[in-house]
Amino acid sequence: MLSDRASNITPSATHAMNARLMRRRAEGKDIIAFNVGEPDFETPKPIVDACIRALHEGKTKYTPVNGIVPLKQAICDKLLQDNGLSYSPEQICISTGGKQALSNAVFALCNEGDEVLIPIPCYVSYVEIVKLAGGIPVLVPTNDDYSLNCESIRRAITRKTRLIILNSPNNPTGAVYSAAALAELGQIATQYDLYIISDEVYEKLIYGNAKHVSPAAVSPETLERTVVVNGFSKTFAMTGWRLGYTASNLEVSRACNAFQGHMTSCSTSFVQYAAVNAFRDCMEEVESMRIAFQNRRDYMYARLTAMPGIHCRLPDGAFYLMPDVSSYFGKCYESRVIRNAEDLCSYLLDEAGIAAVFGEAFCMPGTIRFAYANSLENIRIGMDRMEAALQKLR
Ligand code: PLP
């Protein structure tokens, strides 16, 4: 029999949809993937070359648990230059992906029974990580445009509230929180003595006039009580390399180090060496990926909003669109009835050969998340197929 902890975990809906997609492809079906939150670009060559060099140089042993000094220093330089945040290398804990960095931070801060505020819609793993740490996830609504609703955050605070998990630019909505909202949130956190975990993995994917602001930058008080989580997966198209980090006060970074030391030890040695000069050598590639994502966003948004009954807002960041599809609920195709977004996703997988993830996975029923991390050509074909499949519903 499994432990209560294992029995209580809800498996990731995004991974489940991916497994279905793989099965369909193995059966010979042509499926276009809009379900995975993964840049389709190659990792920039300077990073690949540095990795190969590190392997040839025998950089294949354990490193310190929280990472090698040159990478921690490069991260400090980046945080200062890009975010106006001043950290020393001991305040950085390098991890096996942003996901482990998040888990480290939650386990470092959350006691059994502590309440953790999570604005929704939210990334699939937040609720499960909090539950694994023994905390109680408290889901807090955002505004209609998915901006932060500080009033609902205030209302959700109780004596047990310990932590708020923020994610801007946001997965799944693409919302980018304003400096004013983050400043207000910083005041709330200070007033009620709360920590903020700020997941900034989509920081570099930002469009139009939107600007990424870290809550850690809004005041010295929030700097002290914020754990910045970031990683290399989305910025540098390095999802499979598994590299992320936290930046925090010393007490929290020591706790992350201790926790990680017993869970996974250091992240992969040659991956760390590969990334040391990424911020210096690869920003042109990062910018060209950003421009490509922006073009895809604009195209997919135009196509989705031209479909009858689909309502969508144009997001400022990340690589997702999250239309409301509820006007299709109750419609049928042959014997198939669409009761909710999960049914519509299954229908689109079967009838249109496109994979996307239903909003329930992100605590947002009535919607579907489309990742535009796919070529413009595939997006065009996928949207044509979706349009045709929706027309068949009566
Ligand atoms: N945070 C958010 C909001 C994400 O969307 C993801 C990945 O999809 C992660 C964290 C984890 O990223 P990684 O572990 O690849 O760095």
Side-chain angles (χ1 to χ4, degrees), residues 97-99 123 126 167 171 199 201-202 233-234 242:
K99 206 179 255 189
Y123 175 51
Y126 295 155
N167 173 215
N171 174 8
D199 179 346
V201 299
Y202 294 98
S233 289
K234 317 289 176 176
R242 313 306 304 128

Side-chain angles (χ1 to χ4, degrees), residues 20-31 350:
R20 284 177 72 184
L21 173 147
M22 296 298 183
R23 279 201 300 277
R24 296 295 154 95
R25 282 188 177 156
E27 292 158 13
K29 302 258 166 55
D30 167 25
I31 310 286
D350 295 338

